[in-house]
Amino acid sequence: MFGYIVVHKPELKVREYETYRASYCGLCHSLKKQSGRIGQLTLSFDMTFLALLLTGLYEPETVTKSARCIAHPVEKHFYRENRYFDYAADMNVLLTYYKCLDDWQDERKLTACLFGQALKGNVKKLAERYERQSRYLRDNLAALSAYEKEKQYDIDKTAGFFGAIMAELFVYAEDEWAEKLRRMGFYFGKFIYLMDAYEDIEEDLKQGRYNPFTELYKKETFEQDCQQILKMMMAETSKVFEQLPILEDAEILRNILYAGVWTRYGQIRCRRKETKKEA
């Protein structure tokens, strides 16, 4: 959905990258199985991370299969299946749907309205099955929207609304790991929200849209301050991750947390420097 939570391929072993690809394809297959082809359009790297995280934590029986699809019509590709890929797929559809509603209400984006309507049938069933997650999504997106309309620029509070959403999506069950998963998801969500704001700051200001970094952008230390904030969010996320007893695919997850998440950041920063040089 956002595309910030990716692997840093150069630092992965071939076997690890193949596992990651099979996981990404596994999420795609789960989306089709759970919500049809329209569900596949919500495919994201962010929820691939969640599927890998929960698989590593709970160690379910995972089946690896091969098949052709629209994206791979000639050669068969490997994909992974287990209940946590299905769960991540369901969370992806829920998150996309409510984000579409939010975009339509706040910015009157026609594409968001149409896509949201296309997902509505699937979401009704998912909202009943995942009442807790759905409620947190609705309530916190509504609170975030209201806060943004008030033009409040408390960065921590604003990001906290999306953090609260991801905190609940990370919790598959109310068990011994729920507290740690909530904490990890909270900072993970804040990181995603703030990274998105960091990337969009110039365009948001140009279009008169809300951005939590609006006041910070006026300072000469904007880049350094943003980097420090983002590092703090990911440091807290990684700190909780290291407390979880994950062995399976742990190196892939570490690759994402310690290197992959900074891939887009580096690209954004380089692009911003080039734009300023041209100006």
Side-chain angles (χ1 to χ4, degrees):
M1 185 178 179
F2 294 94
Y4 299 116
I5 313 302
V6 298
V7 292
H8 184 54
K9 187 178 177 181
E11 293 185 11
L12 282 179
K13 296 176 182 177
V14 174
R15 175 184 54 79
E16 291 170 341
Y17 183 67
E18 290 302 319
T19 298
Y20 181 75
R21 281 186 58 186
S23 299
Y24 183 70
C25 290
L27 180 62
C28 186
H29 276 263
S30 287
L31 283 165
K32 182 182 178 183
K33 179 177 67 176
Q34 304 287 96
S35 299
R37 293 203 179 279
I38 190 67
Q40 286 180 293
L41 296 178
T42 71
L43 181 63
S44 75
F45 293 110
D46 308 328
M47 286 299 158
T48 302
F49 175 85
L50 180 59
L52 280 166
L53 178 73
L54 295 177
T55 295
L57 180 61
Y58 290 106
E59 299 181 341
E61 180 181 351
T62 301
V63 179
T64 300
K65 299 180 180 179
S66 64
R68 295 183 181 88
C69 66
I70 293 177
H72 305 89
V74 180
E75 294 185 6
K76 288 186 177 182
H77 63 285
F78 291 105
Y79 66 95
R80 305 172 79 192
E81 279 189 340
N82 66 44
R83 75 186 75 170
Y84 301 108
F85 281 90
D86 291 346
Y87 174 76
D90 289 343
M91 294 303 101
N92 206 58
V93 171
L94 274 176
L95 183 58
T96 303
Y97 172 74
Y98 286 113
K99 185 65 169 62
C100 283
L101 289 188
D102 187 59
D103 287 346
W104 168 245
Q105 291 168 1
D106 290 351
E107 302 175 34
R108 284 297 187 255
K109 287 184 179 179
L110 183 58
T111 52
C113 178
L114 294 174
F115 194 31
Q117 287 299 314
L119 292 171
K120 193 172 183 179
N122 290 314
V123 168
K124 186 176 180 180
K125 294 180 290 184
L126 294 177
E128 293 174 357
R129 188 186 312 166
Y130 303 106
E131 190 277 332
R132 168 178 56 84
Q133 293 91 330
S134 182
R135 173 165 43 84
Y136 269 82
L137 263 165
R138 289 194 309 269
D139 292 350
N140 280 282
L141 280 178
L144 175 59
S145 178
Y147 197 74
E148 290 177 346
K149 287 176 181 176
E150 293 173 2
K151 300 295 183 182
Q152 300 285 341
Y153 296 107
D154 184 327
I155 295 170
D156 191 59
K157 185 172 182 178
T158 311
F161 292 118
F162 197 75
I165 289 171
M166 294 307 296
E168 291 306 313
L169 300 194
F170 265 49
V171 177
Y172 176 79
E174 295 290 356
D175 57 17
E176 60 186 312
W177 307 117
E179 183 180 349
K180 282 186 169 58
L181 287 171
R182 272 198 179 91
R183 184 171 176 80
M184 184 178 178
F186 179 69
Y187 287 104
F188 182 90
K190 290 176 76 173
F191 176 87
I192 290 175
Y193 179 83
L194 293 174
M195 183 68 86
D196 188 54
Y198 173 72
E199 179 172 21
D200 293 345
I201 181 64
E202 286 91 356
E203 186 63 22
D204 285 342
L205 292 176
K206 182 180 178 181
Q207 299 296 330
R209 294 192 296 255
Y210 175 86
N211 189 297
F213 287 135
T214 295
E215 295 300 318
L216 192 63
Y217 189 71
K218 299 173 184 177
K219 299 182 179 181
E220 291 184 3
T221 57
F222 170 73
E223 288 293 345
Q224 299 95 306
D225 291 343
C226 281
Q227 185 181 63
Q228 185 62 27
I229 291 169
L230 290 168
K231 281 184 175 180
M232 287 171 59
M233 297 303 104
M234 194 44 59
E236 290 296 327
T237 303
S238 302
K239 179 180 177 181
V240 181
F241 169 76
E242 296 297 348
Q243 295 171 4
L244 297 172
I246 294 177
L247 296 177
E248 182 179 348
D249 300 329
E251 292 311 308
I252 299 175
L253 292 164
R254 286 194 177 96
N255 173 279
I256 294 170
L257 292 172
Y258 296 117
V261 296
W262 301 109
T263 301
R264 277 279 289 278
Y265 172 80
Q267 294 170 350
I268 296 164
R269 191 161 185 177
C270 286
R271 187 168 64 242
R272 186 167 284 141
K273 285 181 179 178
E274 289 300 317
T275 301
K276 287 182 178 179
K277 283 182 182 179
E278 292 173 2

